[in-house]
Amino acid sequence: MTRFDAADAAGRQKLFAEAVLAHRNRGSQFLTVEVDPADAPGVDADDEDPDPVPWVQFAEKTFNLDCSEAELDRLKDLLSEFPECRIEQIERPDEAEGANVRITARSDANRLGQFADRVLQVTYDLDDDYRAWVTRL
């Protein structure tokens, strides 16, 4: 991989697909994609204790993300567009306000790239031109 960020749907989907392929080829533990703090709703980078930016991780055949109940509802609605993806586990720790969701996804890298982009955009209600970074590979 030679680039690690993108800010349009086609660029992000290609970036995420390339990251999935690199993850598989390297046999890395997981890959992480984060939304640029400037594009994340409710995140003020100047705040001493800023909210975390939206993120999604992928390992082998599983996506992992944290979300609020409203975000989880949007995520569940999105899954109807991706029949190859299904929620495998939802954990709601007592000390957390939201849920950790694990989604099994069995598909090729391009489709997984599309799914990752749509998960971030729809679940976290991001604009079409949000910027995302592959922060770990």
Side-chain angles (χ1 to χ4, degrees):
M1 288 185 54
T2 58
R3 63 188 179 94
F4 294 94
D5 72 307
D8 62 76
R12 288 188 307 266
Q13 291 172 14
K14 183 177 180 195
L15 173 69
F16 299 161
E18 289 173 356
V20 167
L21 288 174
H23 159 73
R24 288 176 173 167
N25 290 337
R26 293 177 183 187
S28 65
Q29 186 178 8
F30 57 87
L31 73 89
T32 303
V33 176
E34 293 182 4
V35 173
D36 191 300
D39 295 331
V43 175
D44 180 1
D46 295 329
D47 190 352
E48 280 188 27
D49 189 22
D51 290 336
V53 297
W55 56 270
V56 63
Q57 287 184 326
F58 180 76
E60 296 183 24
K61 295 179 176 97
T62 304
F63 283 96
N64 181 38
L65 64 146
D66 289 338
C67 55
S68 68
E69 289 303 317
E71 292 164 344
L72 179 57
D73 288 341
R74 291 192 293 267
L75 175 62
K76 287 178 178 178
D77 290 343
L78 174 68
L79 288 174
S80 65
E81 296 176 28
F82 294 89
E84 65 275 22
C85 302
R86 70 171 199 262
I87 293 177
E88 195 68 36
Q89 182 177 9
I90 300 174
E91 292 182 10
R92 292 181 172 88
D94 293 336
E95 64 278 0
E97 292 183 23
N100 177 265
V101 182
R102 295 196 180 170
I103 300 167
T104 301
R106 290 182 169 85
S107 193
D108 63 84
N110 288 328
R111 186 69 171 159
L112 296 175
Q114 292 171 356
F115 180 69
D117 180 46
R118 295 291 294 147
V119 162
L120 287 168
Q121 186 174 21
V122 171
T123 302
Y124 301 108
D125 198 27
L126 301 172
D127 292 333
D128 291 340
D129 62 348
Y130 80 92
R131 179 174 303 279
W133 291 85
V134 174
T135 59
R136 181 164 178 159
L137 186 60

